Amino acid sequence: MKLTILGCTGSMSGPDSAASSYLIQADGDGRTWSLVLDMGSGAFGSLFRYGDPEAIDAILLSHLHADHMSDMVSCHVHRRWNPKGPLGPVATYAPAGAVDRVRGVGGDPLEEDFSGEFTFHEFTDGGSFEVGPFTITSHAVVHPVPAYALRVEGPASGGGRAVITYSGDTDACVGLEAAARDADLFLCEAAFVEGRDTVRGIHLTGERAGDVATEAGASRLVLTHIQPWTDPAMVADAARTHFAGPVELAATGAVFEV
Ligand SMILES: [Zn+2]
Ligand SMILES: [Zn+2]
């Protein structure tokens, strides 16, 4: 499996990156399959550069905060009004209410249901589904709105199967730990800083991301969703004090193979 970072700035678009979006690809049945996890502001433009917006097999929205889904309106326009003709509906997995959220961002009328562009499915806690060679399991996590960590199992680059887990937005919780259990790569948010952001139930810090990675037995930690006012190196250093494995930082265009 190949993970490409399309956008990784926390809570907003930033000077060097779109907001949250991640492309996971793997080969199966003689072709390459592509999942897009989250579609934050600016992410759809990044998909033109690092992927192919016409070759998305499924979209997975971890939750419906705008920094994780606002470019769904760009994707909608691209699919409906493409000069080649409509691209048709793409399977879209999200918490309940996704149609209303996309309609709200787009300023579309109530009768708009996007059925020509997206086929919406709702995540359930612990539910699994398959897309091509991928098996995806959603785990409910702790955030101010319904949110899910996503465990993506697919073909490993060296043969066999591998797991990439994406935290979405969450504080430490059992759902996140279950999603990251023995993951080959744990793509984990670390938006907050210990001592600065004291409110709980919203985001992780570098230390807490490291703790979850350790408890889950993840092999490798990639930190993301770091806000533009925070020094990423400081967050990575904090995670290293709580996780003994490799700690890296997500960056636009970065590619990770598992
Ligand atoms: Zn966010
Ligand atoms: Zn959020």
Side-chain angles (χ1 to χ4, degrees):
M1 282 193 290
K2 183 170 90 165
L3 164 67
T4 305
I5 310 297
L6 301 177
C8 57
T9 302
S11 308
M12 63 198 85
S13 48
D16 300 313
S17 176
S20 296
S21 191
Y22 309 94
L23 176 65
I24 296 181
Q25 295 172 299
D27 292 336
D29 297 329
R31 70 173 183 93
T32 299
W33 294 76
S34 298
L35 307 176
V36 175
L37 280 61
D38 284 347
M39 192 86 78
S41 46
F44 198 69
S46 193
L47 185 57
F48 279 94
R49 179 178 296 270
Y50 299 108
D52 179 358
E54 296 184 15
I56 306 171
D57 293 293
I59 297 168
L60 288 67
L61 302 177
S62 65
H63 66 299
L64 298 174
H65 274 155
D67 60 312
H68 296 255
M69 57 66 66
S70 62
D71 249 8
M72 286 292 285
V73 298
S74 302
C75 188
H76 162 237
V77 170
H78 182 260
R79 298 192 78 80
R80 179 173 294 185
W81 304 110
N82 197 299
K84 295 176 183 172
L87 299 182
V90 60
T92 302
Y93 298 83
V99 176
D100 291 340
R101 289 289 288 135
V102 178
R103 190 192 292 126
V105 174
D108 294 297
L110 278 175
E111 57 269 25
E112 176 63 75
D113 65 2
F114 308 104
S115 58
E117 293 74 43
F118 308 115
T119 302
F120 286 100
H121 307 271
E122 290 182 13
F123 288 134
T124 58
D125 186 15
S128 292
F129 54 94
E130 295 189 357
V131 178
F134 302 108
T135 301
I136 299 119
T137 307
S138 50
H139 292 268
V141 292
V142 173
H143 200 53
V145 298
Y148 293 85
L150 301 172
R151 179 182 177 89
V152 181
E153 183 190 321
S157 300
R161 302 283 281 176
V163 171
I164 295 174
T165 295
Y166 169 48
S167 64
D169 282 5
T170 180
D171 204 339
C173 61
V174 293
L176 181 61
E177 202 176 306
R181 177 65 56 204
D182 299 325
D184 297 278
L185 188 152
F186 182 25
L187 175 65
C188 187
E189 73 116 296
F192 278 177
V193 172
E194 293 291 339
R196 184 191 73 187
D197 307 301
T198 55
V199 62
R200 294 301 304 262
I202 302 176
H203 289 301
L204 294 156
T205 60
E207 289 88 341
R208 297 205 290 271
D211 284 340
V212 175
T214 298
E215 289 297 320
S219 298
R220 181 179 181 190
L221 178 61
V222 178
L223 298 171
T224 191
H225 201 281
I226 296 169
Q227 296 161 334
W229 49 63
T230 299
D231 175 13
M234 183 187 72
V235 179
D237 285 344
R240 289 187 185 106
T241 64
H242 288 239
F243 178 63
V247 176
E248 295 161 271
L249 289 162
T252 304
V255 173
F256 301 88
E257 297 260 2
V258 298

